[in-house]
Amino acid sequence: MHAQHPVATGPGITRRHLLLMGAAVPAAAGLLGPLGLPAAHAADGFDGLRARWADYLTGGAGLDATHPQIAARLADLSSRAGDALASAAPAPAAGGDLWTDLPMAGPAEGNISLTYSRILVVATAWATPGTQQHADAGVADQLVAWYRHMSAHWYNLTIRKSGNWWFWEIGIPRTLGDLSVLVDALLTDADRAAAVAAVRRFTPNPNYRGTSTSPETGGNRADKALACLLRGITARDEADMVLARDALSDRAGGGRNSLFRYVTSGNGFYADGSYVDHSYLPYVGTYGNVALSGVARSLMLVTGSPWEVTDPDVEMILAAPERSFAPFVWNGRMLETVRGRAVSREREHDFHDGFTTAGSLLLLATQMPAPYRDTYRSLAKGWLSRCTEDYAAGATLSDLSRALPVLADDGVTGAPEPLGHRQFGAQERMVHRGSGWAYTVATSSRRIGRYEWGNDENNLGWHQGDGAAYLYVDGDQGQFSDDYWPTVDPYRLPGTTASLAPRQSGASGAGTGIPRAQNGWAGGVGLSGRWGTAGMDLTNSLGTVRAKKSWFLLDDAVVALGSDVTVTGSDAETVIENRSFPTDRDPALLLDGARVTGPVEGAAPTWAHVEGVAGYVLLGDGQAVRAQVADRSGSWRDVNSGADTGGSADLRTRRYATVTVQHPAGTTGGRYGYVILPGATAERTATVAADGLEKLDVEVLRQDATAHVVRAVRRGRWFLFAHLFAATDEGPVRATGPCAVLVSGHAREATLAVSSPSRSIEAATVEIDLDRKLSRVTSAHERLTVTGGHVVTVQAVLSQAAGASFEASLAG
């Protein structure tokens, strides 16, 4: 499968943004009969739907061209359209290219798609009041000539399909659908028939891949359904409208791949909020965005028409913004752990994906009643207001037509960043938020892939699923969007324990791939929506590094432990931090108070500190540490050389503060441990380290090949974290099988949670030693049978649980 990709059509505008363009929708628009909403339109025919979609693409008649940000977008659109017109071939020969920088022979499917996208830019300017091209007769003639040229030579019933299927079946049909709506009045019936016939050739049925019976799922299904609606509007074909509407619910497949139902395997939204695509990857940040935006636009388009959606299960997708998306959007930025190979795209950063989510919510808000409408507006306003990137600089007119009124409305309160923890067992991800910071970890297993590469994208992503851990702090929002991926050392991603053996770039690799791990134990446990864990039983893809890895998340700290570290072949390192800074900054990296000015090898400090980021307290004695502050250079072309997403070859340079624990080749039974104190000053970090774990109120009770167990105390509340990688009858937490356990409480009450990150056992008996007697069970999930006492016993049914956490409460 192929994700939506950027196109070089101007600063801040990508091909994906062209496909996701939106515009003003009447605020009174309703949606679905089963939800009891008023219809915004009578059953208008194809002319009405075509006008609605054209308004959607251009901003509509209500667009305020005098608003400074609207005026800037109009000027930018006009400029890009003018550049496209000026650089186009004046009279292309039969089968010739429209632009010399987009040669289509081969055929080069990516450049055919990009050519259509460039035509769409000109068509949008021609259809949008306030541009230099608006309603210009000469531009209209040029658009018709281009439309016919592409149908005659590059997308038709005879051209040989080659290369990436996505362009033929989704990319081109979606863009051609938008284009056909905008220039409909200029076309003849023959023009429309030729274009629609080509789309039907490559995507006859949105339920399936090509002409096969392999079902489409998730974002691809949403995009194909929308493309089918647009071809139906272009052809004035009721059968296409019914086919597209029913594809959203997968009526042809009995609803198994419905966009409005939770899945229990494969691609789609899960009941716990997870979103998986390409079968094995957490992907809410890109493919999930495509699914959400595709559904939102389809619903808007057919509202009040004879083909409106009446599936009562649609409420599932209406819950997705809060359940699946919001946890991974931090200050308007989509977290890297759910962006897949999009992290390698120069023109698609974390804030672009966050803005896309916000745009989908604002579109849904024009159609939904309270409480959905209010929640969507509040979330979007909070994200856009807090993000340090200028939303308006790259937004389309469509986006601005909805966002600007909400941002200016004092009656809409932006939702603040929440505090707490969200666990997603089905996709083996977690998000933890403290005051002014957030943390997320990417693990992998037999079920969830290490990373995705392919189509010459994400060429150096080898270790992204080996425990890559991302620390976000309020004072450094752009850490992972400011040339991070082309310059970071791909062997030293924060959180990972990785071999330094040279790896081969994924460039020139055909197709796509998601290497999966062989381990079963990956995931964690969450408690009360406030605290949680992440961990994995790592064996690297080379088979040369093994380690048990854990992260335990408190309100103000992250405790990271590793054990059973075994290294063969090349040396390995566990990366405590690898932080990027602009080259005009000289970040203060301290080891035991001494500033690092040159490479440090083999030191055994008790603490480290990175200015403006965090303090790091090392646990135990004798951890051999490597540290340095040094510039690193690379290009976006190194990490992504894809046909339509490839980055520039320009060298980018960033300065990195790096702290790692060394594991030389031959290490067996190695360990590491450290505590991250986000936002802590150097003075506080030094004080905590000097006073030992007693000052930190953290005690490591077990750290071996079988289990990691940590006790902590915070403001009178105690915690007991445990990752059991195998059955054990020793220690303060014991179990008959692998599991994760978290217990927290005050003097005479406690709440516990149990999960099965390995998903390998039907049930487990867990015994938890407490330093108090809690005999009364006040509540328990139906999967848990709990017996209180000084030793709490939990009989947990863990089969078919998808790594979910189950809770119980006790009192004295």
Side-chain angles (χ1 to χ4, degrees), residues 66-444:
T66 66
H67 191 290
Q69 289 168 308
I70 296 289
R73 289 295 90 207
L74 284 168
D76 178 70
L77 174 61
S78 187
S79 175
R80 289 185 290 118
D83 289 344
L85 286 161
S87 60
D97 301 317
L98 298 187
W99 286 276
T100 57
D101 65 324
L102 295 175
M104 294 182 281
E109 71 281 3
N111 283 345
I112 296 173
S113 181
L114 292 175
T115 296
Y116 270 115
S117 293
R118 195 170 288 178
I119 297 172
L120 180 60
V121 171
V122 178
T124 305
W126 174 80
T128 304
T131 68
Q132 293 179 9
Q133 297 80 22
H134 176 58
D136 183 280
V139 173
D141 290 343
Q142 184 69 83
L143 286 168
V144 172
W146 286 343
Y147 193 98
R148 292 171 179 167
H149 180 86
M150 296 301 289
S151 288
H153 304 291
W154 294 112
Y155 195 67
N156 50 45
L157 297 179
T158 60
I159 189 169
R160 178 178 57 85
K161 177 181 176 181
S162 64
N164 193 327
W165 69 269
W166 184 91
F167 292 105
W168 302 103
E169 298 183 29
I170 294 180
I172 296 171
R174 275 287 295 107
T175 306
L176 182 53
D178 290 345
L179 177 61
S180 297
V181 166
L182 290 177
V183 301
D184 182 83
L186 307 176
L187 303 177
T188 66
D189 287 344
D191 294 330
R192 298 184 192 96
V196 168
V199 173
R200 288 182 178 145
R201 173 198 173 190
F202 294 109
T203 310
N205 189 326
N207 289 289
Y208 305 111
R209 176 69 50 80
T211 57
S212 75
T213 57
S214 176
E216 283 292 11
T217 59
N220 288 333
R221 174 177 286 268
D223 260 347
K224 284 191 172 182
L226 181 55
C228 189
L229 286 174
L230 295 176
R231 91 181 183 209
I233 292 171
T234 300
R236 284 75 165 166
D237 188 301
E238 293 194 30
D240 275 342
M241 304 300 289
V242 172
L243 180 63
R245 179 201 62 196
D246 291 351
L248 294 171
S249 301
D250 187 27
R251 292 188 182 180
R256 287 186 297 274
N257 296 293
S258 170
L259 289 162
F260 306 141
R261 293 186 185 180
Y262 292 121
V263 300
T264 57
S265 63
N267 297 343
F269 291 95
Y270 288 71
D272 71 349
S274 298
Y275 180 85
V276 171
D277 218 309
H278 289 193
S279 300
Y280 306 113
L281 214 66
Y283 239 139
V284 74
T286 49
Y287 274 91
N289 258 337
V290 174
L292 181 67
S293 62
V295 169
R297 289 174 296 169
S298 293
L299 294 178
M300 179 277 296
L301 179 56
V302 299
T303 292
S305 78
W307 308 285
E308 69 179 343
V309 174
T310 59
D311 187 336
D313 290 334
V314 74
E315 294 195 42
M316 183 280 285
I317 202 74
L318 303 182
E322 283 189 279
R323 293 175 59 81
S324 300
F325 290 87
F328 290 97
V329 180
W330 173 81
N331 289 324
R333 298 169 183 270
M334 186 66 68
L335 301 188
E336 300 296 89
T337 50
V338 290
R339 295 184 61 230
R341 68 179 191 261
V343 300
S344 70
R345 297 172 188 162
E346 183 176 7
R347 296 176 295 277
E348 186 178 343
H349 297 306
D350 54 8
F351 56 89
H352 291 127
D353 288 330
F355 290 168
T356 295
T357 304
S360 294
L361 267 61
L362 290 173
L363 176 58
L364 284 170
T366 65
Q367 308 168 54
M368 293 295 107
Y372 292 118
R373 177 187 63 239
D374 300 335
T375 297
Y376 297 162
R377 288 177 175 172
S378 180
L379 285 170
K381 184 170 185 175
W383 295 337
L384 299 182
S385 299
R386 290 192 303 275
C387 188
T388 54
E389 298 291 337
D390 181 6
Y391 173 70
T396 65
L397 291 167
S398 169
D399 297 327
L400 292 178
S401 70
R402 289 183 296 277
L404 292 178
V406 170
L407 290 171
D409 188 347
D410 292 337
V412 178
T413 301
E417 278 294 311
L419 297 177
H421 185 95
R422 283 292 304 274
Q423 199 81 26
F424 298 87
Q427 62 185 357
E428 297 172 11
R429 292 292 188 269
M430 43 64 66
V431 180
H432 188 86
R433 284 174 165 88
S435 179
W437 61 281
Y439 199 78
T440 183
V441 179
T443 61
S444 56

Side-chain angles (χ1 to χ4, degrees), residues 546-567:
R546 298 199 312 271
K548 307 295 194 306
K549 297 174 67 67
S550 295
W551 295 263
F552 300 137
L553 289 304
L554 293 157
D555 292 333
D556 60 349
V558 179
V559 181
L561 296 181
S563 63
D564 196 29
V565 179
T566 302
V567 181

